[in-house]
């Protein structure tokens, strides 16, 4: 009983959805705090929590997932540089680029942004970076800016040599980069979050929305949209892109990264002028290359079912073209947000092609979008079983494990991915 009250408080105060990390993880954080406070009765602990701001902060520090590292999802930083040089700078040659990193955890993300912008040739006086997190403990670590090798996770060592000094205590970030980030304690689940702040050209909000309950997710996306300048870009985590399906935000893609622009009503004009405008895709594929003429209309889902029923039993061996279309249709349905239908088509496809890595990968992505995390993990595992070096499947599974709070499994997978990346480099 007391645990469910604490779960409800965590949800209402910081947006944490107990299902995202699991009731066991929350229980373990509560029991750890109880032990630290010398309390054995959970009802007694709840009483303390209700009157002590300090205890709230301590519980938040224990329950949050502060997992982060430098240049996480490195393609996002390449996209950031490209955007700044090709679009922002020509329009604002003397301007100050305003960037928000929320949540910033222990600082690796905002410092990576600062380094990327310096490397793009921007002058520090033309850069303003705000970095927000709910955890004061994380923020203190961020302000200290001394990191272990773990914060680099095998990413390019060249920036480590340029911007850090190795000491016995760890890698000290240089003063120039340190001074570029302004750390702020804040709660993104608060609708009045940064209400009086000037708008931002770039907002990074990665790997937090996945922990929020549905209402907080929706409200937060509106907050992020409010904070963004019309021409600015919002970056979310790879596993969070699908959350922006139903918003007014316009998706733009560079390679495997999707970023989002605020809709101003003039997006047709902008779309026509943008070098590479694409609709967003749950599956990370460019959906504009899919043959959408074959995609049944939304209000015609009976037709999909009928078509499927007719196809599968009567054609035990499907012609290759039809097989590909089935999977492509599933992908396009997923990108349309028609997740149930996509799952059915994936399963139909898998009935015909039990060794299709791509189909298991797609199925896993759709199941994850439906918050069926256990099933999604199984699908990614099947994809990896069929193709042990499949980097995309390994990455999806690592992110999912991280999201489930299973840091050990996630780390093993990241190590495997880094070994693969290294092998490719040499
Ligand atoms: C997984 S880290 C993400 C860090 C970084 N953005 C990244 O992708 O590497 C999640 C962070 O969210 C913070 N957090 C959790 N709830 C929050 C909230 N309601 N408002 C602001 N930060 C929050 C936690 O303190 C934690 O540091």
């Amino acid at each position: 009983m007391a645990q469910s009250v604490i779960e409800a408080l965590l949800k209402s105060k910081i947006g944490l959805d107990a299902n995202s990390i699991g009731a066991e993880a929350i229980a373990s954080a509560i029991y750890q705090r109880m032990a630290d406070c010398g309390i054995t009765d959970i009802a007694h602990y709840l009483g303390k929590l209700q009157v002590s701001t300090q205890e709230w902060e301590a519980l938040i520090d224990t329950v949050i997932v502060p997992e982060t590292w430098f240049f996480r999802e490195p393609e996002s930083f390449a996209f950031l540089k490209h955007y700044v040089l090709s679009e922002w700078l020509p329009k604002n040659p003397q301007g100050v680029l305003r960037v928000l990193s929320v949540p910033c955890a222990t600082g690796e993300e905002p410092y990576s942004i600062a380094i990327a912008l310096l490397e793009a040739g921007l002058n520090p006086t033309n850069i303003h970076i705000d970095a927000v997190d709910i955890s004061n403990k994380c923020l203190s670590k961020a302000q200290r800016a001394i990191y272990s090798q773990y914060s680099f996770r095998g990413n390019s060592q060249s920036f480590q040599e340029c911007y850090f000094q190795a000491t016995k205590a760890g890698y000290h970030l240089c003063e120039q980069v340190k001074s570029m980030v302004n750390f702020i304690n804040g709660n993104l689940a608060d609708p009045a979050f940064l209400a009086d702040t000037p708008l931002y050209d770039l907002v990074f909000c990665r790997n937090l929305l996945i922990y929020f309950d549905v209402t907080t997710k929706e409200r937060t996306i509106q907050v992020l949209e409010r904070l963004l300048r019309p021409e600015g870009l919002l970056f979310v985590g790879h596993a969070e892109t699908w959350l922006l399906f139903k918003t007014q935000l316009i998706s733009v893609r560079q390679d495997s990264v999707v970023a989002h622009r605020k809709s101003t009503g003039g997006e047709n004009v902008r779309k026509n002028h943008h070098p590479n405008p694409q609709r967003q895709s749950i599956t990370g594929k460019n959906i504009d290359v899919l043959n959408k003429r074959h995609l049944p209309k939304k209000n015609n889902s009976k037709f999909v079912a009928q078509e499927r029923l007719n196809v599968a039993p009567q054609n035990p061996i499907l012609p290759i073209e039809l097989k590909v279309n089935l999977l492509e249709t599933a992908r396009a349905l997923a990108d349309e947000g028609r997740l149930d239908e996509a799952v059915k088509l994936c399963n139909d496809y898998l009935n015909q092609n039990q060794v299709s890595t791509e189909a298991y990968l797609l199925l896993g992505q759709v199941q994850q979008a439906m918050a069926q995390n256990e099933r999604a993990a199984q699908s990614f595992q099947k994809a990896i079983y069929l193709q042990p070096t499949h980097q995309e499947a390994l990455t999806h599974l690592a992110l999912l494990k991280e999201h489930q709070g299973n840091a050990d499994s996630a780390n093993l997978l990241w190590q495997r991915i880094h070994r693969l990346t290294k092998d490719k480099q040499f």
Side-chain angles (χ1 to χ4, degrees):
M1 171 65 184
Q3 178 168 339
S4 45
V5 175
I6 297 174
E7 281 177 13
L9 285 172
L10 283 167
K11 186 168 166 177
S12 69
K13 292 204 177 209
I14 68 163
L16 179 68
D17 176 8
N19 295 323
S20 70
I21 58 169
E24 278 169 28
I26 293 186
S28 141
I30 295 171
Y31 286 112
Q32 190 181 320
R33 283 309 308 152
M34 284 169 61
D36 291 347
C37 299
I39 296 176
T40 47
D41 176 15
I42 189 165
H44 180 184
Y45 178 70
L46 173 59
K48 182 177 174 80
L49 205 53
Q50 280 164 329
V51 294
S52 164
T53 320
Q54 219 177 344
E55 187 48 41
W56 252 115
E57 282 193 13
L59 179 65
I60 288 171
D61 281 336
T62 317
V63 87
I64 51 150
V65 183
E67 192 73 5
T68 185
W69 59 95
F70 285 101
F71 290 95
R72 182 178 192 174
E73 295 182 21
E75 303 80 15
S76 306
F77 297 91
F79 194 162
L80 157 80
K81 281 190 199 173
H82 175 79
Y83 164 79
V84 169
L85 293 178
S86 67
E87 203 174 323
W88 184 84
L89 200 56
K91 286 183 193 158
N92 305 276
Q94 307 299 328
V96 173
L97 180 80
R98 288 182 50 80
V99 188
L100 173 65
S101 160
V102 56
C104 63
T106 39
E108 287 87 333
E109 180 179 275
Y111 289 139
S112 301
I113 295 171
I115 292 172
L117 293 173
L118 287 178
E119 301 218 320
L122 259 66
N123 191 315
T125 53
N126 296 105
I127 303 169
H128 178 100
I129 303 173
D130 286 333
V132 184
D133 202 279
I134 201 163
S135 161
N136 277 321
K137 197 171 160 187
C138 283
L139 291 172
S140 303
K141 197 175 167 206
Q143 278 158 328
R144 257 180 89 225
I146 303 173
Y147 295 96
S148 72
Q149 186 60 41
Y150 194 58
S151 286
F152 297 87
R153 310 264 170 112
N155 275 326
S156 159
Q157 300 305 309
S158 62
F159 79 88
Q160 194 188 55
E161 279 165 23
C162 280
Y163 298 98
F164 292 84
Q165 195 188 355
T167 68
K168 275 190 187 156
Y171 293 88
H172 285 240
L173 181 62
C174 68
E175 279 307 318
Q176 185 194 31
V177 178
K178 250 176 102 172
S179 64
M180 287 171 65
V181 181
N182 174 33
F183 289 101
I184 304 166
N185 179 262
N187 179 0
L188 186 55
D190 177 354
F193 178 75
L194 295 185
D196 301 322
T197 314
L199 302 184
Y200 293 94
D201 299 288
L202 292 162
V203 175
F204 275 66
C205 180
R206 306 188 307 162
N207 304 301
L208 174 57
L209 294 171
I210 41 174
Y211 299 109
F212 279 167
D213 67 279
V214 177
T215 318
T216 312
K217 269 182 196 134
E218 285 172 4
R219 212 175 44 215
T220 303
I221 291 167
Q222 285 170 12
V223 167
L224 296 171
E225 207 174 335
R226 156 170 70 71
L227 288 169
L228 203 59
R229 275 191 187 148
E231 294 297 317
L233 288 187
L234 165 66
F235 288 88
V236 295
H238 186 58
E240 294 163 327
T241 316
W242 63 274
L243 292 171
L244 303 178
F245 273 155
K246 289 177 186 155
T247 68
Q248 295 298 309
L249 293 161
I250 311 294
S251 303
V252 281
R253 178 193 292 275
Q254 180 177 291
D255 300 326
S256 61
V257 187
V258 180
H260 306 269
R261 271 180 204 273
K262 191 186 248 180
S263 164
T264 57
E267 53 271 11
N268 285 340
V269 178
R270 203 169 56 243
K271 263 191 165 186
N272 290 339
H273 284 93
H274 195 276
N276 189 17
Q278 302 292 354
R279 287 208 48 221
Q280 97 178 23
S281 155
I282 185 179
T283 56
K285 304 283 183 226
N286 171 357
I287 68 167
D288 286 356
V289 303
L290 297 181
N291 188 349
K292 296 197 85 193
R293 277 174 302 175
H294 296 304
L295 186 63
K297 294 266 183 300
K298 183 164 183 80
N299 60 5
N300 210 2
S301 54
K302 273 191 193 147
F303 166 72
V304 185
Q306 192 58 49
E307 181 185 57
R308 197 177 50 249
L309 287 173
N310 287 342
V311 169
Q314 287 172 17
N315 301 286
I317 301 169
L318 293 173
I320 285 175
E321 204 180 311
L322 198 49
K323 283 185 196 172
V324 172
N325 277 346
L326 205 59
L327 198 56
E328 286 194 351
T329 306
R331 207 186 298 284
L333 285 167
D335 288 330
E336 291 273 300
R338 295 160 68 180
L339 305 181
D340 286 329
E341 294 166 63
V343 165
K344 282 181 187 140
L345 279 201
C346 280
N347 283 327
D348 285 350
Y349 184 84
L350 282 163
N351 283 338
Q352 303 289 326
N353 312 272
Q354 283 162 0
V355 291
S356 169
T357 312
E358 288 307 314
Y360 279 118
L361 180 60
L362 175 60
L363 181 60
Q365 285 170 278
V366 180
Q367 287 165 328
Q368 195 175 0
M370 297 168 90
Q372 297 175 354
N373 286 342
E374 282 312 317
R375 285 188 187 172
Q378 280 170 17
S379 300
F380 294 142
Q381 259 147 2
K382 284 180 189 165
I384 295 164
Y385 173 76
L386 291 171
Q387 220 174 306
T389 57
H390 200 291
Q391 226 161 308
E392 207 178 336
L394 286 163
T395 306
H396 276 289
L397 188 59
L399 286 167
L400 182 57
K401 293 283 174 193
E402 208 174 281
H403 166 62
Q404 290 177 312
N406 190 342
D408 290 345
S409 302
N411 286 339
L412 285 174
L413 286 156
W414 287 124
Q415 283 166 19
R416 203 163 146 186
I417 293 162
H418 291 314
R419 276 198 303 275
L420 284 173
T421 321
K422 269 193 188 162
D423 289 349
K424 273 190 190 164
Q425 280 169 357
F426 296 106

